[in-house]
Amino acid sequence: MVSAEGLKQYGVTKPISMAGPTVADLKRTRDLEKFLVDSGLYESDEEDAKREEVLARLRQLVKDWVKQLTRARGYTDQMVEDSNALILTFGSCRLGVNGPGADIDALCVGPSYISREEDFFYIFHDILAEMEEVTELQPVPDAHVPVMKFKFDGISIDLLYASVSLLVVPDDLDISHVSVLHNVDEATVRSLNGCRVADLILKLVPNVEHFRTALRCIKFWAKRRGVYSNVTGFLGGVNWAILVARVCQLYPNAIPSMLVSRFFRVYTQWRWPNPVMLCEIGEDELGFPIWDPRRNPRDRTHHMPIITPAYPCMNSSYNVSPSTLRVMMEQFQNGNKLCQDIELNKAHWSSIFEPYLFFESYKNYLQVDIVAADVDDLRAWRGWVESRLRQLTLMIERDTLGKLQCHPYPHDLVDPSRQCAHCAFFMGLQRKQGEVAQEGQQFDIRATVDEFRDSINMYAYWKHGMDICVSHVRRRQLPAFVFPEGYRRNRPSRPSSEQHLRRSSSPKDEVGGKRKNVDEDPDVKPAAKRLSSSPERGISVSPDVLVNNSVSPLPESVGSVDGDMTPVADESASHELDSTSGNSALNTPLYDVCTAENSDRRCSSTSTSTSTSSMVSTLISENFQGGFGWGPDVSGADRNSCSSEGSTDQRFTKSDSCEAVSGFLPEDGSETNGIAGMVHPNGVGGMVLKPQSCNNGMKEQF
């Protein structure tokens, strides 16, 4: 236990509490550790041995590759004998929190005369391609951090390459020393920093074993609650590691159960965009850019800065958007409440890890279907589309002025009944809390979807057969394969408190002069009854969102099959439906003409025959409800707490700061102002950052 006298301070501020565990805390920690073991979060001895065997074979493989190139380039026999390359792990393996089936994040460190562009992505790629043990080989040389993805003997590996300015790479190379960054490019720095950041994190926490247990727990929670995905705008492994490490610094004598509880307490009250930092930001020693919102206008637009400790210190969570931040804050609040119940013996640890029912949480979704000619093309196409989904979220937020909020599902899904190479991404949609729907108000995101589709089609490695379709799907129309059991469950009734919250925060809909119960599940309405409604009643509902369907329709095998996907109807179909109901055709776009179970097949056949030039809008006619908005406590520091009138100015001078609150979160949680934010090492403490418009000429996003 760390004593108060002669205390080594971890982090940029003093700890919140030096309190150690009570008897109850010790029992809760034993219960938590048992739960983690029972949940299968630890590798077996056999899995650990296999992983080490794969790493050993990979190490020998890169050594042979470097010796081969050294000899081919005319170096002396002694040079060939001394030539060397290292394989270092980073991520969960290096932090010691890898679980069963986890990927291996690895870095190959080679000499200066072995290049990434030609030697690694061509010659070494060809060596791997010829090996029977290697499958699903996918080079991604144009990524922000260039990577080679493959499976080696069934184990997934993400392999980076860094060429350091040494002719011979020693086996005991100290990668944490800044000298390894001399005379290298920025891509190499980013590749090296995975290992450097992991090493520093372990050095900056008071108790490594307590940190590892808490991190294993939080990562498991994040995956179960659907907020573990850096690429879609949530947080990845290094982000969660830094957040947990900061809590360890603030509570140096806490044990895992205490750390998990304090984690949710701290980040429920954190005033973003104040940064989370484990140490002071290092000086600009070698000229590489560092995170500094005073000098870099782009850094001021970051919503949830989580700063890496190794030079050059950067924001590891720049992908976070206002919508994904809202979702994470919502989950922090839920976790905090459940931890309070656990401390009062009202709940068990299993309650925190209940999976988030994403496909039961929204009334409206965007479905992004992608197809390719074969599985190899799909793997590359999927990676490209997934990397751009965050842009769709930002575009929707920009074009609706933040009034339409998006919640991306962090995984792709596949319909096992279909034989073609395809997958689907989903995004929940809802109106921002507090936004009152006006009569006839619409969110027209057709141009937004078109812009997104155009950006997708700029893929440099596009091949014939690669296609994408973006469509609106209501909750009752979700395909069966999105549900774990393969079918839709009966939705449980909402708790009375949540019913009251939704009634008080959402406008009431009226259809045909009759008031709709906002808590009524639209799924339970018979399809036949919806069909019998006259078009006049249908159009009396104010649509919220306009979405164009894909200009390039997908093959029939990916279209609507038994109602799996919202079909696209052309004008002839709308006229046909109007004529059958005894009404003349309307100029208003049709409302989900293919939602009824009995008409799915008819509409599907109609949609597949639609020409690529026909475009029909799908309208979301239900009011968006629910969800949590994010106010000043989430979006930034409380302006009333600023000691300088200039603290909200976008020009950051020495006076642009807020006073940090010492002892800002007492153990009883009674601090009304919560956490005041961290003190920027350059003197900017708890500053309020105003989002800036991008420099690319686009209008201000948020």
Side-chain angles (χ1 to χ4, degrees):
M1 181 176 292
V2 181
S3 62
E5 297 181 2
L7 171 69
K8 174 186 176 181
Q9 178 175 310
Y10 291 89
V12 294
T13 61
K14 294 181 179 180
I16 293 175
S17 172
M18 296 297 300
T22 63
V23 174
D25 291 323
L26 292 170
K27 181 182 182 302
R28 281 191 287 268
T29 293
R30 289 193 296 270
D31 293 342
L32 175 60
E33 291 173 341
K34 182 179 184 302
F35 176 83
L36 297 179
V37 171
D38 293 343
S39 299
L41 297 186
Y42 292 86
E43 271 189 331
S44 65
D45 293 339
E46 293 78 8
E47 289 171 318
D48 181 65
K50 182 177 181 180
R51 178 168 51 83
E52 290 301 326
E53 178 187 350
V54 167
L55 285 173
R57 294 171 66 187
L58 189 58
R59 288 188 177 99
Q60 188 59 49
L61 195 64
V62 297
K63 289 178 185 291
D64 294 342
W65 164 62
V66 168
K67 290 183 183 296
Q68 173 189 335
L69 288 178
T70 304
R71 182 177 293 107
R73 290 175 183 172
Y75 286 93
T76 64
D77 292 342
Q78 184 61 45
M79 185 70 172
V80 172
E81 183 180 347
D82 294 340
S83 60
N84 190 28
L86 303 179
I87 288 291
L88 306 174
T89 60
F90 60 98
S92 60
C93 287
R94 200 172 187 90
L95 291 172
V97 293
N98 50 297
D103 297 352
I104 296 178
D105 296 316
L107 168 69
C108 176
V109 182
S112 58
Y113 55 88
I114 305 294
S115 70
R116 180 194 309 108
E117 292 76 11
E118 297 180 4
D119 299 327
F120 181 70
F121 279 112
Y122 283 93
I123 299 177
F124 190 66
H125 170 274
D126 292 343
I127 292 174
L128 291 175
E130 294 175 358
M131 299 180 64
E132 293 183 0
E133 305 96 320
V134 175
T135 58
E136 300 183 15
L137 181 59
Q138 180 188 1
V140 192
D142 298 328
H144 187 63
V145 181
V147 60
M148 190 104 72
K149 297 173 176 285
F150 56 94
K151 284 188 176 181
F152 197 112
D153 203 12
I155 296 181
S156 296
I157 297 177
D158 289 350
L159 183 62
L160 315 181
Y161 179 75
S163 174
V164 296
S165 56
L166 296 171
L167 286 176
V168 177
V169 179
D171 287 329
D172 59 350
L173 177 67
D174 183 6
I175 199 171
S176 64
H177 198 278
V178 73
S179 61
V180 300
L181 303 181
H182 284 277
N183 301 318
V184 298
D185 59 15
E186 290 190 24
T188 300
V189 171
R190 290 191 290 267
S191 299
L192 289 166
N193 264 12
C195 299
R196 289 161 47 79
V197 166
D199 288 345
L200 262 180
I201 289 175
L202 295 177
K203 291 178 181 178
L204 291 171
V205 294
N207 187 304
V208 171
E209 289 307 315
H210 291 169
F211 160 75
R212 284 173 172 161
T213 302
L215 177 57
R216 197 182 293 271
C217 177
I218 293 301
K219 288 180 65 175
F220 182 50
W221 166 84
K223 291 174 181 177
R224 298 283 282 180
R225 302 302 294 177
V227 290
Y228 191 99
S229 174
N230 183 276
V231 70
T232 55
F234 294 109
L235 302 182
V238 67
N239 311 126
W240 293 113
I242 294 173
L243 292 184
V244 172
R246 185 67 186 118
V247 174
C248 292
Q249 292 178 339
L250 295 173
Y251 298 90
N253 291 324
I255 58 177
S257 65
M258 300 170 65
L259 292 172
V260 171
S261 175
R262 302 319 187 262
F263 176 91
F264 291 113
R265 182 188 302 179
V266 167
Y267 293 116
T268 293
Q269 302 180 67
W270 196 272
R271 296 178 181 176
W272 305 105
N274 292 308
V276 173
M277 300 184 297
L278 299 182
C279 59
E280 294 185 355
I281 293 180
E283 294 297 325
D284 185 7
E285 302 176 38
L286 302 176
F288 294 110
I290 61 173
W291 188 83
D292 188 348
R294 301 173 310 165
R295 299 184 177 90
N296 306 322
R298 188 174 182 179
D299 292 344
R300 303 174 198 169
T301 67
H302 295 168
H303 302 284
M304 193 181 188
I306 301 173
I307 311 304
T308 56
Y311 173 83
C313 299
M314 300 299 295
N315 176 22
S316 62
S317 55
Y318 60 87
N319 277 353
V320 174
S321 72
S323 284
T324 52
L325 176 59
R326 171 191 63 84
V327 172
M328 286 186 283
M329 290 300 297
E330 199 173 304
Q331 294 303 323
F332 289 154
Q333 292 161 1
N334 178 69
N336 186 46
K337 182 182 183 303
L338 290 173
C339 280
Q340 292 174 359
D341 290 343
I342 290 172
E343 291 177 346
L344 295 174
N345 295 321
K346 294 181 179 179
H348 300 286
W349 284 113
S350 59
S351 62
I352 292 183
F353 304 99
E354 287 292 326
Y356 179 68
L357 302 178
F358 176 82
F359 292 105
E360 298 181 14
S361 300
Y362 296 92
K363 288 187 175 181
N364 299 279
Y365 298 83
L366 283 184
Q367 179 172 341
V368 180
D369 280 281
I370 64 172
V371 293
D374 54 47
V375 292
D376 291 331
D377 287 353
L378 180 66
R379 191 178 302 114
W381 183 230
R382 172 195 170 279
W384 168 253
V385 173
E386 185 180 33
S387 71
R388 306 299 297 175
L389 284 177
R390 185 180 70 94
Q391 297 301 321
L392 178 58
T393 300
L394 295 175
M395 290 173 184
I396 292 175
E397 291 173 343
R398 175 199 69 199
D399 293 345
T400 63
L401 303 179
K403 296 180 181 179
L404 183 61
Q405 296 178 329
C406 309
H407 180 178
Y409 188 66
H411 310 291
D412 65 308
L413 297 170
V414 177
D415 185 354
S417 66
R418 294 174 179 167
Q419 301 302 318
C420 64
H422 80 285
C423 66
F425 298 94
F426 290 85
M427 185 179 294
L429 300 173
Q430 72 174 14
R431 186 186 297 274
K432 183 180 179 181
Q433 185 187 23
E435 288 290 329
V436 179
Q438 303 297 325
E439 184 70 23
Q441 182 182 11
Q442 298 177 346
F443 288 124
D444 187 348
I445 60 173
R446 290 174 294 187
T448 308
V449 171
D450 287 342
E451 180 184 351
F452 169 71
R453 209 162 38 230
D454 290 342
S455 70
I456 291 296
N457 290 331
M458 293 174 63
Y459 183 45
Y461 304 98
W462 184 90
K463 293 182 180 180
H464 179 74
M466 294 180 175
D467 209 345
I468 181 171
C469 176
V470 181
S471 56
H472 157 236
V473 183
R474 293 183 183 157
R475 183 171 60 207
R476 60 179 175 270
Q477 299 167 316
L478 286 169
F481 67 83
V482 305
F483 301 101
E485 300 87 353
Y487 60 89
R488 188 191 310 276
R489 303 186 312 169
N490 291 328
R491 298 177 66 243
S493 59
R494 297 182 181 277
S496 58
S497 60
E498 187 173 350
Q499 289 181 359
H500 176 74
L501 175 64
R502 292 172 67 87
R503 289 194 185 101
S504 62
S505 62
S506 303
K508 294 185 178 180
D509 302 337
E510 294 194 8
V511 179
K514 295 183 180 180
R515 188 177 302 277
K516 286 179 61 179
N517 185 349
V518 296
D519 293 312
E520 182 180 354
D521 184 0
D523 296 351
V524 301
K525 288 188 176 183
K529 186 173 182 178
R530 289 198 302 272
L531 270 186
S532 65
S533 300
S534 67
E536 286 82 4
R537 284 193 178 183
I539 61 173
S540 68
V541 183
S542 300
D544 280 325
V545 177
L546 297 170
V547 182
N548 268 340
N549 292 283
S550 178
V551 177
S552 167
L554 295 174
E556 186 173 355
S557 59
V558 189
S560 178
V561 178
D562 293 318
D564 275 353
M565 178 175 154
T566 304
V568 183
D570 60 10
E571 286 189 24
S572 61
S574 65
H575 286 278
E576 179 184 353
L577 190 63
D578 291 335
S579 62
T580 58
S581 61
N583 293 280
S584 60
L586 301 174
N587 292 328
T588 306
L590 204 58
Y591 285 73
D592 251 356
V593 297
C594 300
T595 57
E597 295 175 2
N598 296 332
S599 63
D600 278 338
R601 289 178 176 81
R602 182 192 64 173
C603 294
S604 177
S605 61
T606 303
S607 65
T608 55
S609 64
T610 304
S611 66
T612 57
S613 60
S614 98
M615 301 171 61
V616 177
S617 303
T618 304
L619 306 180
I620 297 180
S621 58
E622 299 174 8
N623 285 332
F624 290 88
Q625 301 171 11
F628 290 86
W630 53 283
D633 285 345
V634 177
S635 60
D638 187 354
R639 283 162 172 74
N640 295 329
S641 68
C642 294
S643 59
S644 169
E645 294 180 356
S647 60
T648 58
D649 197 310
Q650 296 172 2
R651 299 162 297 166
F652 292 94
T653 62
K654 291 184 179 180
S655 63
D656 295 337
S657 62
C658 302
E659 294 181 357
V661 179
S662 59
F664 45 86
L665 191 63
E667 278 297 290
D668 59 5
S670 61
E671 175 61 51
T672 57
N673 290 327
I675 294 180
M678 310 320 300
V679 181
H680 194 287
N682 292 323
V684 183
M687 58 189 170
V688 180
L689 308 180
K690 283 189 176 180
Q692 300 288 316
S693 58
C694 297
N695 296 328
N696 58 5
M698 298 169 65
K699 64 182 180 181
E700 189 171 88
Q701 295 185 3
F702 313 111

